[in-house]
Amino acid sequence: VAGNFSYDGTNGPSHWGKEYKTCLGKYQSPIDIEEKDVTTMTFPELQFSGVEGSHKAYMTNNGHTVMIQSFDSNVPSISGGPINSTYVFQQLHFHWGPNDNQGSEDLINNHSFSMELHVVLWKKEYGSYDEAIKRDDGLTVLGYLYQATDEPNPMFESIVQQIPDIVGVGSNITISDNNVLKKLVAPDIASAQNYFTYRGSLTTPPCLEIVQWIDFVKPQHISHEQLAAFRSIQSADGTNLTHNFRPVQPLDGRTVYRNIA
Ligand code: SG4
Ligand code: ZN
C-alpha cells in the first residue's frame, strides 16, 4: 500500500508539499489544457505493441485507487509520438469524483470529465521500473477521459463485476477477463493520434517530475452505475474512496502540444 497521503483533510493535496517537497515544483500535474493556447505539432506515429492476445491481469485496491498490473512476459509497450524510445507497461489505474460532474485529473478548457484512466509506462532503456523512476524521462503516462452516460461501456464490465472483491484496502484478485489490458491500454478509438502532450509529474506523492503526459483528446464513456462501483472501495481510513483526483496545478510557462496527424 502506497504512502501516507489522501484526498481530504490534513493529508489532502494542499498539504502534500510539507512531506513531499517535489509536489510544490514547477512541472506538476494535472493541468488545465486550454485548447486556444496549445502549440500544434506533427509527431511520428504513436505505436502500440504487445496489446493483442490475452494477458493475465491482477486488480488491487491500494488505498488510493483501483490498480491493474500484469506479470506476463509479453506486456504492452509504446513507441513513437513525442517519445523517441520504447516505454513498457507497468500498471494502470483510475481517478474519479464524488459525482459524475468531476473526477478527471486533467481538464480540457476547464471542463472536468467523470473519470480518467492512467496507463503508466517506463523507459525500457533503463532496464527496470525502479531504475526508470530515478531519471527525468523515466515515465510516460497515457490519459484517457470518460464521460458518464446511461449506456454501460463493455470494456468495464469485468472490472466492475469484480470490484466488490477488492473493497478492502490491500485486496488483490485475478481478473477473469484476459482481454482487459488490450481493451483499456489501446481501445479501438479512431483517434489514437489525436492527443495533447506535455512535461509533468506523477499526480500523487512523491510527485516526481519525470512524466511525458499523452492525453487523448476524444473522451470515451462509462455508465453512471459502472462509475458508482469505483466509489464503493475503501480508502486507508476505512471510509469510501468517493474521489481521488488532484486539483490542477500551475502550467508555469510550459508548452502543451497537440499532435496533428
Ligand atoms: C495512483 O495512486 C497509483 O496507484 C500509483 O501507483 C501511482 O504512482 C500514482 O497514482 C501516480 O500516478 O499516473 N496518477 S499518476 O501520476 O505510478 C506511481 C502505485 O502506487 C508511482 C504503484
Ligand atoms: Zn493517475
Side-chain angles (χ1 to χ4, degrees):
V1 177
N4 179 34
F5 70 89
S6 75
Y7 289 93
D8 289 298
T10 52
N11 285 328
S14 61
H15 301 277
W16 293 351
K18 282 182 271 179
E19 198 179 332
Y20 304 97
K21 294 288 174 243
T22 312
C23 299
L24 304 170
K26 288 192 172 300
Y27 292 85
Q28 290 293 292
S29 297
I31 58 166
D32 172 37
I33 297 170
E34 289 291 321
E35 277 184 284
K36 64 173 171 29
D37 297 334
V38 305
T39 302
T40 55
M41 187 76 115
T42 301
F43 291 104
E45 189 186 349
L46 182 65
Q47 291 181 314
F48 292 81
S49 315
V51 288
E52 290 306 321
S54 67
H55 302 92
K56 195 165 158 58
Y58 304 87
M59 182 162 75
T60 308
N61 172 355
N62 68 6
H64 306 295
T65 186
V66 170
M67 184 167 78
I68 295 176
Q69 289 169 283
S70 175
F71 305 103
D72 279 3
S73 48
N74 175 41
V75 292
S77 63
I78 65 167
S79 60
I83 49 171
N84 54 10
S85 165
T86 299
Y87 283 71
V88 182
F89 176 78
Q90 175 70 14
Q91 47 102 342
L92 61 83
H93 62 266
F94 303 88
H95 299 270
W96 58 86
N99 59 62
D100 296 353
N101 302 321
Q102 312 170 64
S104 67
E105 296 211 296
D106 291 300
L107 309 184
I108 298 182
N109 302 329
N110 217 32
H111 177 81
S112 297
F113 295 83
S114 312
M115 191 174 77
E116 186 166 339
L117 160 63
H118 287 158
V119 180
V120 179
L121 305 106
W122 54 273
K123 192 170 184 173
K124 193 174 185 180
E125 201 177 299
Y126 296 143
S128 72
Y129 174 80
D130 289 345
E131 288 304 312
I133 61 171
K134 297 174 186 163
R135 313 297 287 263
D136 67 7
D137 60 350
L139 299 182
T140 291
V141 182
L142 307 179
Y144 290 108
L145 299 164
Y146 300 87
Q147 189 57 54
T149 56
D150 292 334
E151 197 64 27
N153 186 332
M155 74 160 73
F156 293 116
E157 216 166 277
S158 60
I159 296 173
V160 164
Q161 245 170 40
Q162 292 187 270
I163 284 181
D165 300 336
I166 58 157
V167 164
V169 176
S171 343
N172 182 40
I173 58 161
T174 302
I175 300 176
S176 54
D177 176 2
N178 282 331
N179 290 312
V180 77
L181 278 197
K182 172 178 154 174
K183 291 174 192 165
L184 293 170
V185 173
D188 189 20
I189 46 172
S191 42
Q193 304 303 323
N194 190 6
Y195 56 80
F196 301 110
T197 185
Y198 77 98
R199 297 275 329 155
S201 73
L202 296 175
T203 66
T204 68
C207 305
L208 302 177
E209 295 180 332
I210 61 169
V211 180
Q212 183 70 40
W213 281 90
I214 300 178
D215 292 323
F216 295 97
V217 176
K218 192 167 177 270
Q220 301 170 78
H221 78 277
I222 181 167
S223 74
H224 309 290
E225 286 77 9
Q226 288 178 321
L227 199 43
F230 286 86
R231 298 185 191 114
S232 72
I233 70 161
Q234 287 176 359
S235 60
D237 66 6
T239 62
N240 281 17
L241 186 61
T242 57
H243 58 101
N244 62 358
F245 63 93
R246 185 189 197 189
V248 292
Q249 304 296 307
L251 193 56
D252 237 322
R254 281 175 287 176
T255 303
V256 179
Y257 296 95
R258 178 173 181 164
N259 185 49
I260 301 296

